[in-house]
Amino acid sequence: MVKFGDSANSHDVKDLFTLAAGLNRWSEIKLLDADGVMLCISSSIPNNKPNKPYKIHVVDTNHSLANDDMVFTLISSVSEQFNRVFKVQDFKNEIDCRLSAVERHVHVEGLKVVEVEKWKNDVKVIRRELHDLKNNSYGFTPINNSKYGSGGIMQPLKLNSVKKDVLGYTKYILSKETIEMLRKPLFEVWHWEPNEMLCLIEHMYYELDLVHEFNINPITLKKWLIRVQENYRDNPFHNFRHCFCVAQMMFGMINVCQLQDKMSKEDICELLTAAICHDLDHPGYNNTYQINARTELAVRYNDISPLENHHCAVTFEILNNPECNIFVNCSDDCFKSMRQGIIMLIMATDMARHMEIMDGFKEKIATFSYEKVEDLKSLKMILIKCCDISNEVRPMEVSEPWLDCLLHEYFMQSDREKLEGLPVAPFMDRDNVTKASTQIGFIKFVLLPMFGAVGEIFPQISDTILQQLTEALIHYEHINKA
């Protein structure tokens, strides 16, 4: 007997009939009345009577069984696929674990190799310094072309935890004579080892009252200086000693021109910090090479001052490290203002902008005022430009070794340009350049006009800086005639 309510649909009714007849639910059946007439299987079918029973006629049992087999096969196949997927996932997890273990091992071994290489390089540097001292000569660290790859592409920044002992250079006690000489543009820069140069730069921040003004943590200042030093490469010219020279010249100009009485602490901090960071991670190949060789930097910065843009980026990558952020205690407005100022100053060191900056400054000399924002910006840009190319301001025994270093770096670039089929600047070609010919034009048409313009605002530099430049020009003109 089959019973169902009015709410049952035709499929439910059919399932009830097939189950009552002992068939599976997928069997195809027909429902016939006592006279053999086929009835529609639905909830509205009339009740039958004992003397007139309904008959169930199976249409195709084999087909139903085939459907059963097909469904079973399908379910089995799906189940097998799921098992495979889970096995593959388990296998991937196992492989990932093994790869992670291998990567950790490689990382540890790699660190050991790096440390060994650092020790080897330190030994080489010490040997060179000993050789220089023995022969009373001024050397430079040869550049290793292989480390730059094609086109002098930048190396990863050294921004991990500062491993160097931050107290390593506090053992140097500066004498009164050293401090007094440090304030003068004619300071001797070749006699100082790297840790001593760090100590001297650190002293500048204290003497200019920047540590107190910006609430700089003393340990953070040391870590920042160490990180800056680590991110200058061992180029013949654009190295950490060049950074020190530019920073010391800026410190000397601040003192000689008494800028502390004329500028804010923020301005002074921008000048000194930009001088220290202005050539960070310099690859030893100038903007012209970067653009002509289509290096990563030139592409990244659309051929617009690629090196200076990179120096700015490295500067603030270092400051982004909490261990090295000397401005962490500044207000947001103060930091934003100093960031803009430092970027402006570093970008001004691109010699491609020399005439633009010089012309802008000369227009302001006659009516110059520290109260005018644009006048002050123009002066600060000229000051960092002066400091960046100020070697000839120093005594000949200091400036001439720098010229050797600069020409060596130039010749390395021109040699590479020749190999790569790139244009070669005449003043960098070892086949056409002499010391005298290089410096005569540079002093006469770049240095003297620029320092002369600064001298119109600060007459006190005439007896030192301008006099030294004039003597240097006479020296090289005499060599050129010989």
Side-chain angles (χ1 to χ4, degrees), residues 250 274-275 345-346 348-349 380-388:
M250 182 64 76
L345 294 175
I346 294 177
T349 61
K380 290 195 293 183
M381 287 193 288
I382 282 291
L383 285 173
I384 195 168
K385 283 177 61 59
C386 287
C387 295
D388 187 24

Side-chain angles (χ1 to χ4, degrees), residues 317-334:
E317 283 282 352
I318 293 173
L319 287 171
N320 272 344
N321 185 342
E323 288 187 327
C324 306
N325 188 358
I326 58 174
F327 301 131
V328 68
N329 294 319
C330 295
S331 68
D332 290 342
D333 289 341
C334 176

Side-chain angles (χ1 to χ4, degrees), residues 184-190 242 244-250 387 390-400 402 465 468-469 472:
K184 298 178 180 179
L186 305 184
F187 185 75
E188 165 61 77
V189 297
W190 286 105
H242 169 65
F244 173 71
C245 283
V246 177
Q248 188 279 322
M249 182 60 68
M250 182 64 76
C387 295
S390 62
N391 287 325
E392 292 300 335
V393 169
R394 303 181 190 277
M396 192 60 59
E397 62 271 17
V398 177
S399 63
E400 196 157 13
W402 272 122
I465 293 176
Q468 184 62 42
L469 286 174

Side-chain angles (χ1 to χ4, degrees), residues 76-94:
S76 298
S77 176
V78 171
S79 175
E80 184 177 353
Q81 292 296 327
F82 272 112
N83 286 335
R84 288 179 181 176
V85 169
F86 288 126
K87 287 180 179 179
V88 169
Q89 188 60 47
D90 290 343
F91 182 69
K92 285 178 65 179
N93 292 339
E94 182 180 353

Side-chain angles (χ1 to χ4, degrees), residues 77-322:
S77 176
V78 171
S79 175
E80 184 177 353
Q81 292 296 327
F82 272 112
N83 286 335
R84 288 179 181 176
V85 169
F86 288 126
K87 287 180 179 179
V88 169
Q89 188 60 47
D90 290 343
F91 182 69
K92 285 178 65 179
N93 292 339
E94 182 180 353
I95 293 297
D96 287 341
C97 290
R98 292 182 180 180
L99 283 175
S100 297
V102 171
E103 288 173 351
R104 286 194 297 270
H105 178 72
V106 170
H107 178 68
V108 171
E109 294 301 318
L111 289 177
K112 293 179 182 178
V113 173
V114 170
E115 290 300 321
V116 170
E117 288 302 316
K118 286 182 179 178
W119 295 335
K120 288 181 179 179
N121 289 334
D122 289 343
V123 171
K124 290 179 182 178
V125 171
I126 292 171
R127 283 176 176 172
R128 280 195 297 269
E129 290 179 351
L130 288 174
H131 178 270
D132 293 340
L133 289 172
K134 181 179 179 181
N135 293 281
N136 194 27
S137 63
Y138 300 102
F140 50 77
T141 304
I143 194 169
N144 180 0
N145 285 343
S146 63
K147 74 184 283 189
Y148 301 112
S150 177
I153 293 175
M154 301 298 102
Q155 300 299 301
L157 303 184
K158 300 174 181 177
L159 295 175
N160 299 323
S161 259
V162 182
K163 294 182 179 178
K164 186 173 180 179
D165 180 10
V166 296
L167 302 178
Y169 56 84
T170 56
K171 61 184 179 182
Y172 301 106
I173 299 175
L174 303 181
S175 66
K176 291 182 179 180
E177 293 79 7
T178 298
I179 293 173
E180 186 61 32
M181 287 300 299
L182 188 65
R183 298 174 183 145
K184 298 178 180 179
L186 305 184
F187 185 75
E188 165 61 77
V189 297
W190 286 105
H191 292 166
W192 309 93
E193 65 172 276
N195 278 356
E196 291 173 323
M197 289 188 282
L198 288 172
C199 182
L200 291 168
I201 295 175
E202 181 186 17
H203 172 81
M204 298 175 195
Y205 276 83
Y206 279 98
E207 181 167 316
L208 295 173
D209 199 34
L210 302 180
V211 173
H212 176 265
E213 178 71 19
F214 299 103
N215 194 18
I216 300 174
N217 184 297
I219 299 300
T220 303
L221 177 61
K222 294 177 188 292
K223 290 183 176 181
W224 174 71
L225 289 172
I226 291 170
R227 185 49 28 84
V228 166
Q229 181 191 39
E230 289 177 343
N231 279 281
Y232 271 93
R233 302 192 190 187
D234 293 330
N235 299 319
F237 184 87
H238 290 99
N239 49 41
F240 181 67
R241 191 174 296 276
H242 169 65
C243 150
F244 173 71
C245 283
V246 177
Q248 188 279 322
M249 182 60 68
M250 182 64 76
F251 184 67
M253 293 290 284
I254 290 171
N255 281 279
V256 170
C257 301
Q258 299 176 332
L259 296 181
Q260 284 182 286
D261 299 333
K262 302 173 176 68
M263 295 182 180
S264 68
K265 285 288 198 297
E266 188 174 307
D267 291 322
I268 298 296
C269 189
E270 288 172 10
L271 285 168
L272 184 58
T273 304
I276 293 167
C277 299
H278 80 285
D279 270 333
L280 274 169
D281 199 41
H282 195 297
Y285 298 88
N286 68 14
N287 280 331
T288 301
Y289 175 84
Q290 302 296 325
I291 294 168
N292 289 338
R294 301 175 186 176
T295 64
E296 178 185 335
L297 282 183
V299 172
R300 182 183 304 161
Y301 296 113
N302 304 310
D303 294 347
I304 301 172
S305 303
L307 288 180
E308 288 71 27
N309 272 297
H310 181 64
H311 304 325
C312 292
V314 177
T315 297
F316 288 95
E317 283 282 352
I318 293 173
L319 287 171
N320 272 344
N321 185 342

